[in-house]
Amino acid sequence: MSSSEHTPASEAVPATARTTASTAAAATPTGAPTDPPAAVAGSGSTPAAAPTVPAERPTSLLGNLVRGALIGAVETVPGVSGGTVALVVGIYHQIIDSAAHLISAVRRLITGPDRAAGMREHLALVHWKVVLPVALGMLLAVFTAAGPMADAMENHPVQMRALFFGMVLASVAVPVRMMLQGLATERFRAVASGRDPAAVRLRAGHVIAGIGAAVATFLLVSLPPASVEAHPLVLVPAAMVAVSALVLPGLSGSFLLLTFGLYEPTLRAVDELDLAYLGVFALGMVLGLVLVVKLLKWLLDHRHTITLAVLSGVMVGGLRTLWPWQDESRALHAPGEGAGLVLLLFLAGFAVVALLLLVDARMQKRFLREHGRHGQADVGTAGV
């Protein structure tokens, strides 16, 4: 295993070792203790001071309601990740950190020790001024957008798949960038601790794992969708996996549901308020938050490179589901009628996500620049 797989991603990440704060944000769980900076070889016993960068931008209640609505709206669109939008609007850290503390609070209440006190301790660390308005905005947006999105998929499947194909293809850049940036950060730490930075690199095993994941996913989603029904034994695991997309920017929960053949049934259930379906789906989401999200966070912290290589492969292999020209048995066909419009929609979808990623990169660079200029000064009053 390479040295990049042994160092937890929760260590401090210097600003000079990353291109955007969002990349490190997705790899580093907010609130995790940071190790003291290592001494640079030959500098004596004094540790090298690393720039301190706030993990979050200031926000307001009304602004967070709007942010939640944006995240909820894009969560109904396969190919646009709610995690990516959370990064762009500056609340990814608070949401992931709060989810972790909520899960820990429930665990302390059930298992102890000091059940009541332990639960209160974790609940006090939740960013309630962010979580509550964001959750409300997400719910309102999801219930508003579910019906129109289901109708569009039913009435214009070729065009919608083309749009989503472009979005997912552009989103693959997110985990790839996170993987490469994680290696760059680890090389920085290697220099600071006197180790050889050349030993930290993308290895053949990482590439093979990504290709293997892509091939396995491609074969899996080639199965006829008739074999997948909205049965609780299928719905619960699907919801568990889909909710894990909240942890990883670039991975769309709706895209995963589309891969499982459960995208349209889920949107219909939301639009028609099918409480039985939604109840089972909610159970899967809760279990996913407790089990899958925790596991994925651990993998991102301790096996960062290989995990992101596999997830990148899953996204690439899953693109087979979104090939515009396919029949109900998922058999692929060559481009047919309306290929010009389909190409334009593909390019439009790609451009939307690429623009989101560009905005995120520029906003985070500006944020880091301003913090570096003002040091530890107050970053200002709450934003919109």
Side-chain angles (χ1 to χ4, degrees):
M1 187 68 67
S2 68
S3 58
S4 63
E5 301 296 348
H6 289 288
T7 306
S10 56
E11 293 182 3
V13 180
T16 55
R18 58 188 174 186
T19 55
T20 66
S22 62
T23 301
T28 307
T30 306
T34 52
D35 294 344
V40 178
S43 62
S45 58
T46 305
T52 302
V53 180
E56 57 204 51
R57 306 172 195 162
T59 60
S60 67
L61 291 176
L62 179 59
N64 288 332
L65 183 67
V66 175
R67 290 176 175 90
L70 288 173
I71 295 171
V74 302
E75 279 294 350
T76 65
V77 181
V80 183
S81 165
T84 298
V85 176
L87 278 175
V88 172
V89 298
I91 58 173
Y92 179 80
H93 274 276
Q94 297 99 309
I95 295 298
I96 297 303
D97 184 36
S98 297
H101 283 302
L102 284 171
I103 294 169
S104 298
V106 174
R107 187 177 67 244
R108 285 291 294 272
L109 180 63
I110 296 173
T111 63
D114 300 325
R115 288 182 172 84
M119 180 186 69
R120 286 195 298 270
E121 178 185 346
H122 283 287
L123 290 178
L125 296 173
V126 174
H127 301 271
W128 293 109
K129 291 183 178 180
V130 174
V131 171
L132 293 179
V134 165
L136 177 60
M138 287 180 66
L139 284 174
L140 292 175
V142 167
F143 280 92
T144 300
M149 285 302 303
D151 291 337
M153 275 298 293
E154 182 177 343
N155 298 322
H156 308 284
V158 174
Q159 293 80 4
M160 295 302 291
R161 281 196 294 263
L163 182 68
F164 298 156
F165 193 104
M167 289 177 169
V168 175
L169 185 60
S171 297
V172 174
V174 178
V176 171
R177 185 180 65 176
M178 288 168 60
M179 177 176 61
L180 297 178
Q181 191 56 46
L183 290 171
T185 301
E186 179 58 22
R187 281 193 287 271
F188 181 95
R189 286 199 284 256
V191 172
S193 61
R195 294 182 286 120
D196 181 12
V200 181
R201 63 184 186 276
L202 190 66
R203 299 182 180 273
H206 301 142
V207 177
I208 292 172
I211 294 174
V215 172
T217 304
F218 185 93
L219 295 175
L220 179 64
V221 300
S222 298
L223 298 174
S227 61
V228 180
E229 298 179 1
H231 187 277
L233 294 179
V234 174
L235 194 55
V236 169
M240 290 175 64
V241 174
V243 77
S244 67
L246 294 174
V247 177
L248 186 67
L251 189 61
S252 165
S254 291
F255 168 61
L256 293 175
L257 289 178
L258 187 62
T259 301
F260 298 141
L262 294 172
Y263 175 68
E264 289 185 66
T266 302
L267 288 186
R268 287 295 177 202
V270 172
D271 187 46
E272 298 169 4
L273 293 179
D274 185 343
L275 298 182
Y277 185 107
L278 295 178
V280 175
F281 193 86
L283 173 62
M285 290 182 66
V286 171
L287 293 175
L289 285 172
V290 175
L291 301 175
V292 179
V293 171
K294 280 284 190 179
L295 173 62
L296 186 54
K297 280 174 63 64
W298 185 91
L299 289 172
L300 287 171
D301 286 346
H302 297 86
R303 298 291 182 267
H304 187 257
T305 305
I306 193 78
T307 300
L308 289 173
V310 169
L311 289 171
S312 301
V314 168
M315 293 179 68
V316 171
L319 284 170
R320 188 217 184 277
T321 304
L322 297 176
W323 178 251
W325 295 279
Q326 55 181 290
D327 55 34
E328 293 183 359
S329 65
R330 288 189 177 172
L332 304 183
H333 301 286
E337 239 180 275
L341 175 60
V342 168
L343 178 60
L344 288 176
L345 288 170
F346 162 79
L347 294 174
F350 189 96
V352 166
V353 175
L355 181 62
L356 276 176
L357 299 181
L358 180 62
V359 169
D360 171 57
R362 291 193 173 182
M363 289 178 65
Q364 291 290 0
K365 283 182 181 178
R366 183 177 64 183
F367 181 62
L368 290 174
R369 253 195 331 267
E370 289 175 355
H371 178 73
R373 184 163 59 245
H374 294 101
Q376 297 294 328
D378 183 26
V379 293
T381 56
V384 177

